[in-house]
Amino acid sequence: MALSRRREPRAINYWPGFVDALSTLLMAIMFLLSVFVTAQFLLGREISGKDEVLNRLNSQINELTQLLALEKSGKQDLEDRSPICRRRFHSRKASGPACRLCSTGAPAVPKSQTKRSAGLARNSKTSGRSAPGR
């Protein structure tokens, strides 16, 4: 009997090694899948936050554009009125005193302010000539 046991051919059992390799592969795939899902979730949240910030900045840009257009139109109105005001000022200045203070001999405007306004008028004339787009 002892001889019969020794000569019996043994079959190689490969199933335990196959199951171990397959389960290790499955665990590695599941780990990678969970890492990718987590990364996708976090990146999606960050991108949506940037979209909200971008929309808010676009609305601020639109508001500032409207304010700029309003200021430009106001500036253009003032520039259109300035020659008329200058003509009226020079015609009233040439015709004589325009107020009671001027007729009594008291200076209506201090000399320091007239010098300052003359300097401002000179600056506005020079800046008006060199303005681009005219």
Side-chain angles (χ1 to χ4, degrees), residues 88-108:
R88 285 184 185 167
F89 174 73
H90 290 300
S91 67
R92 287 184 182 166
K93 188 176 175 184
S95 67
C99 65
R100 289 189 323 214
L101 289 176
C102 294
S103 62
T104 60

Side-chain angles (χ1 to χ4, degrees), residues 13-23:
N13 194 2
Y14 57 87
W15 283 109
F18 177 75
V19 170
D20 285 347
L22 194 60
S23 64

Side-chain angles (χ1 to χ4, degrees), residues 1-10:
M1 282 210 185
L3 293 175
S4 65
R5 284 187 183 165
R6 285 185 186 168
R7 292 186 179 181
E8 209 176 275
R10 282 186 149 198

Side-chain angles (χ1 to χ4, degrees), residues 50-60:
K50 287 183 179 181
D51 284 342
E52 292 171 5
V53 170
L54 187 61
N55 289 336
R56 188 173 58 227
L57 288 174
N58 281 334
S59 67
Q60 286 178 350

